[in-house]
Each structure stands twice: as structure tokens, then as C-alpha cells.
Amino acid sequence: NLDAFEPLVILAKKKGINRFIYASSSSVYGIKNEKNVTEDMLLEPLTDYSKFKAQCEVILNKYKSDNFITTTIRPSTVCGYAKRQRLDLVVNILTNHAYHNKEIKVFGGNQLRPNIHIDDMADLYLFLLDQPDDKIDGKVFNAGYENYTVMQLAEIVKSTVGGDLVIDVEPTDDLRSYHVSSEKMRYELGFEPSHSIEDAVLGLVDAMKKGRLPNSMNDPKYFNINLMKQASLK
């Protein structure tokens, strides 16, 4: 994410691209005790992924100019069915296991995890392309819809998938927890996500029933780390 980013920004500007929308991550906030995490709060990333995402925000701002409009989006965890499917994100993981194994493992459970449906995320990117420069230039927006604990997400998945599902709780050292506020996106841009966690689960289950996600428990293409290992990326 980091090594390729600045060359990409330089090339985009050199080629006359006049609007660059960067997908950062809500994970750049790290662990927060505040009730709502807003865009002006200190970034305290905990992982290499989130550290590099935060560094890319700084890089992008260096190239901002009147003819190169830059906007940073900090998406919540994306969920739901997509043609380029990921099954290594919390709601999608839980749904995959619930559908195939009738069992959900929850690590910890009290951590807050903000989520946004993939359809809402795609709609937001398209929406931003049509906004006036002065509404988005140099600005940062959180992009989320619903904030739930991991245990609440598991309960939603269980009730939506149905049947006799077991939720097993195990300890974890992953303490990342944040309640992301997306009010700035709503008030300044007028964009409102419209798809729920239940919608995401139902979409995934429908795709699995119709055979659109074959071998969803094991195929590396659904899991970024596994896919990179398969390609010998480090």
C-alpha cells in the first residue's frame, strides 16, 4: 500500500487527472475511548496496514493543488456480496462460517466494529465524483453506517442466517475498538448509506445458495493474506 502510492499520485497528476479519491481506513484511529471517533482526532494506527494507510494520507496532501483535487475517505469495515469477494472481514467471515459450519467463533466480543455495505461504498465513490470541488477538496470523511460490537454482529448473523447456530467465544489480543462517526459525511455531503448488516448477510447467503461463491471456506482468492502468500508476495 505504501511503496506504490506516491508514484501513483505523481503519475496521476502528471497525466492530468484532476480528482484523486483515496480510500484510507477507519483503522488509522487505533483504540479510542471517545464515544464517537471523528475526522479531527489523532491517528494512532496499531498495525502495519493502518500505519501505511495513514502515511499515504500525508503523502496525498503534499500534492494537493487547484487542478488536483484530493479527498480522503476512511471507510469502515466493508461487508456484503461483491463480484470481487472478500471473506476475511468480520461480517463476511461470520456469515461464511454460519452458513457452512453452523458455528460462529467470536474472538473477544466487546470490541466495536463499524461497518458499511459494499453497495453503499461504491455509491459513495460515484457520488464524490459528481461533487463540486469546494465541497471535497483536501477534506477527510469517515464512511460508515452502523457501529456494533463483534458479539452484536454475531447475533445479527445468527438470527439472519437462522437454524441451530452455535456462537463460541474465545479470548483475543486484538483490542482494536472504535465507534466511528460518519455525521460529517451526512451533514457536509448529504450522503446517507442505506444498506444494513442484515442486507449484507442476506446477500452473501443468497450468493452461496446460488453457487456464486464456490469453495468459500478455502479458496485463497477470498482471503487477501492467503492470496498474497500463494503469489509469494511479502
Side-chain angles (χ1 to χ4, degrees), residues 73 75-76 78 116-126 143 191:
I73 304 299
S76 296
V78 179
I116 187 168
H117 196 288
I118 183 62
D119 289 352
D120 287 323
M121 202 66 245
D123 287 344
L124 175 58
Y125 291 133
L126 294 173
F191 183 86

Side-chain angles (χ1 to χ4, degrees), residues 40-181:
D40 57 347
M41 288 185 177
L42 179 67
L43 304 189
E44 299 176 295
L46 299 175
T47 65
D48 284 344
Y49 170 81
S50 54
K51 289 174 185 176
F52 294 154
K53 281 291 189 181
Q55 289 176 36
C56 289
E57 293 188 19
V58 177
I59 291 170
L60 182 61
N61 284 334
K62 290 195 310 182
Y63 295 92
K64 174 183 167 316
S65 64
D66 290 343
N67 59 358
F68 191 67
I69 306 305
T70 65
T71 309
T72 292
I73 304 299
R74 293 175 182 157
S76 296
T77 302
V78 179
C79 57
Y81 172 70
K83 292 181 179 179
R84 193 302 203 190
Q85 187 65 56
R86 288 187 63 182
L87 293 171
D88 51 1
L89 302 167
V90 60
V91 171
N92 298 0
I93 293 171
L94 295 173
T95 304
N96 198 20
H97 283 263
Y99 181 79
H100 289 289
N101 298 335
K102 307 303 179 186
E103 181 181 21
I104 299 173
K105 284 188 178 181
V106 171
F107 295 92
N110 293 324
Q111 314 97 305
L112 281 166
R113 285 289 186 273
N115 284 270
I116 187 168
H117 196 288
I118 183 62
D119 289 352
D120 287 323
M121 202 66 245
D123 287 344
L124 175 58
Y125 291 133
L126 294 173
F127 178 85
L128 288 169
L129 292 176
D130 290 331
Q131 297 310 295
D133 291 350
D134 60 350
K135 289 188 70 173
I136 65 170
D137 188 21
K139 294 187 178 181
V140 178
F141 296 96
N142 291 336
Y145 183 35
E146 296 169 312
N147 290 271
Y148 290 113
T149 66
V150 175
M151 180 56 74
Q152 287 173 322
L153 292 172
E155 294 289 356
I156 291 172
V157 170
K158 179 179 179 179
S159 63
T160 305
V161 173
D164 295 326
L165 289 176
V166 176
I167 298 178
D168 293 325
V169 180
E170 297 185 10
T172 182
D173 56 2
D174 183 357
L175 301 177
R176 291 172 300 147
S177 181
Y178 30 87
H179 189 289
V180 171
S181 169

